[in-house]
Amino acid sequence: DLAFRTAKQHFERRYLSELMAIARGNLSEAARRSNIDRSNLRRLLRRNGFDATGGAAPRDDLASDDETA
């Protein structure tokens, strides 16, 4: 059973992780590449447990469940 909210959260985390890796942690570059306003991208990163200042990986308490999926 995979609720929509959970699936969306997994997608967002994976997308943001890849986006920030491609942008090498540069928030402005990530915003340009994703076509998301920088302030909205920062908010999305924070909501998904990322360090929005440098694009660090999600905090442990919000880490992806890929190992169990």
Side-chain angles (χ1 to χ4, degrees):
D1 182 37
L2 188 61
F4 176 75
R5 180 178 284 178
T6 302
K8 180 181 174 202
Q9 193 173 42
H10 285 221
F11 168 79
E12 283 183 356
R13 287 182 185 153
R14 182 169 291 130
Y15 176 80
L16 293 170
S17 181
E18 291 180 22
L19 176 65
M20 294 309 289
I22 290 168
R24 296 184 177 158
N26 184 309
L27 187 62
S28 295
E29 177 65 16
R32 276 191 292 278
R33 287 178 175 264
S34 64
N35 200 29
I36 299 173
D37 180 75
R38 195 169 154 264
S39 61
N40 290 334
L41 180 57
R42 181 183 294 121
R43 188 175 313 120
L44 188 60
L45 286 164
R46 284 185 186 145
R47 183 174 51 212
N48 281 281
F50 288 80
D51 173 8
T53 60
R59 297 185 312 257
D60 287 341
D61 59 328
L62 295 176
S64 173
D65 295 339
D66 288 342
E67 296 83 18
T68 59

